Amino acid sequence: MNGPEGDLIDIRYDWNKVEIPSSLKEFEKRWATRNNPLDYSGVWRFRELLPFAPEDQIVTIGEGQTRLQQNDGVAKYAGINPGNLFLQYEGMNPSGSFKDNGMTAASTHAKMVGAKVTACASTGNTSASLAIYGGTTGLFNVVVFVGSGKIAYGKLSQALDYGAATLQIEGDFDDALMQVRRVCDEAGIYLCNSVNPFRLEGQKSIMYRVLEGLNWEVPDWIVVPGGNLGNSSAFGKAFIELKELGLIDRMPRLAIINASGASTLSKLYNEHGLSWNDGEPDLKLVADYFQKMDEEDGRACTIASAIEINRPVNLLKSLRTLDACDGVVRDVSDELILDAKAQVGRFGFGCEPASGASVAGAKLLREQGIIAPSDRVACILTGHQLKDPNATVAYHSGNHQALDRTGPVEPHFGNAPISVANDFSAIMDVINNLPSL
Ligand SMILES: *Cc1c(COP(=O)(O)O)cnc(C)c1O
């Protein structure tokens, strides 16, 4: 499997040296041996599919206890037939986002190479995840770089609570990432951003669990929010490998959903014709695009802070996914993202704004006739509902100052709190007039 010249490192295995189960169903045997932490982990119970670490080096804190949930309320909203829409709820991870799937793998590799300090730049969830792995295992000291004023409070509070040294850089995520890469080079610190290819190995397991939730059948569509594009890159790699190993018989299609205010991939792919091109994507096109963006000081802007990224580091790897999975890319407005998030909250477990992009994207692709009502669609809910309570409360109470970052946002499913005097009859008046009673 080739990575394009000059791009990030890609992990490859000599599969002849690995004992691969003859079918994915074999992995179910590990449900019976859950007292072994490696069989309990939703990542490492698939360890033959990411065989880079000796078992005694694996760092796990019980990540990946997530399941695929069928959801007809959200299906109706997205225009998909009952029974066909599924939510992969990654908010149930120890730090509340899918990032733990990758961080268990990066932490394992850090341990293998004897790292004592690990670092990352983050829009929030990467830092929360790295911090929890440092805190619970005691293996590393953790330094996280965040853009100032950009991080959702739930996430910042985690990094602080788990004891990470937290640097608030005067700038945004793209600035913080550039700095942390230099710092790690200079100071010999182990870098845990998704430039780290081991993270992507762990994130492949999200797709294994989606397949597991469908009794090992391949869905028609995977829909995933796109920020730094680590997840989408990992998902494509997972399916390419499974197909090569003969463990699946067909590829799903895959949709990557940007926020309209952070739509580098969507623009390059849909408007500038960037493609994988057999492993030789047009690097000049990309360089010119970024140069123009810099000249215009183009900054990412969306309420979905986890995908507020203009320079996705896994851009080229994501093109491989799009090529392998007959993929599409869309960008959706903050309004659509927040409405979709509210529908997930109303019918599902809830999620943070960035995760809402997957449901918003599924709805859009359904309206465009690209997803059929009869397609089976798995939307990835990347982060927990409680990560960004400010955005949720702003939406429900119609706080336009907080909501209108890229244009006016009209909440269509708002559920504003009702102010009432501390007075029994006034309260009963309200109760008697509640439309829902
Ligand atoms: C990191 C993150 C994303 C973006 O994922 P990428 O792999 O960077 O594309 C989306 N949603 C949430 C909640 C995240 O934490």
Side-chain angles (χ1 to χ4, degrees), residues 76-148:
K76 186 163 183 227
Y77 171 68
I80 290 165
N81 288 350
N84 280 2
L85 186 126
F86 299 83
L87 302 174
Q88 176 67 16
Y89 186 58
E90 290 296 316
M92 291 301 283
N93 273 290
S95 82
S97 84
F98 80 83
K99 297 294 197 302
D100 296 349
N101 294 283
M103 217 47 90
T104 181
S107 299
T108 295
H109 185 252
K111 183 178 174 192
M112 286 166 68
V113 300
K116 292 283 171 268
V117 186
T118 58
C120 68
S122 179
T123 62
N125 281 332
T126 303
S127 59
S129 183
L130 184 57
I132 206 175
Y133 276 86
T136 49
T137 67
L139 287 169
F140 329 101
N141 289 320
V142 173
V143 189
V144 304
F145 289 51
V146 299
S148 58

Side-chain angles (χ1 to χ4, degrees), residues 49-199:
L49 299 173
L50 53 151
F52 68 86
E55 291 198 1
D56 62 355
Q57 294 289 305
I58 289 176
V59 178
T60 174
I61 61 170
E63 58 287 319
Q65 306 307 314
T66 66
R67 278 207 60 189
L68 196 67
Q69 311 276 341
Q70 188 195 306
N71 194 307
D72 284 347
V74 178
K76 186 163 183 227
Y77 171 68
I80 290 165
N81 288 350
N84 280 2
L85 186 126
F86 299 83
L87 302 174
Q88 176 67 16
Y89 186 58
E90 290 296 316
M92 291 301 283
N93 273 290
S95 82
S97 84
F98 80 83
K99 297 294 197 302
D100 296 349
N101 294 283
M103 217 47 90
T104 181
S107 299
T108 295
H109 185 252
K111 183 178 174 192
M112 286 166 68
V113 300
K116 292 283 171 268
V117 186
T118 58
C120 68
S122 179
T123 62
N125 281 332
T126 303
S127 59
S129 183
L130 184 57
I132 206 175
Y133 276 86
T136 49
T137 67
L139 287 169
F140 329 101
N141 289 320
V142 173
V143 189
V144 304
F145 289 51
V146 299
S148 58
K150 288 288 187 176
I151 180 171
Y153 250 49
K155 307 175 187 183
L156 179 60
S157 70
Q158 288 181 289
L160 301 177
D161 229 16
Y162 304 145
T166 305
L167 272 60
Q168 290 194 293
I169 310 292
E170 287 173 23
D172 62 11
F173 171 81
D174 294 308
D175 299 319
L177 179 60
M178 201 189 67
Q179 295 293 358
V180 78
R181 288 177 86 162
R182 287 179 61 190
V183 168
C184 286
D185 265 355
E186 177 77 20
I189 294 173
Y190 188 91
L191 179 61
C192 286
N193 275 96
S194 56
V195 296
N196 180 321
F198 294 98
R199 269 186 53 194

Side-chain angles (χ1 to χ4, degrees), residues 97-99 123 125-126 155 194 199 203 225-232 306-307 309 352 354-355 382-384:
S97 84
F98 80 83
K99 297 294 197 302
T123 62
N125 281 332
T126 303
K155 307 175 187 183
S194 56
R199 269 186 53 194
Q203 287 167 214
N228 238 338
L229 303 173
N231 242 357
S232 42
I307 52 175
I309 294 173
E352 67 168 278
S355 316
T382 44
H384 198 281

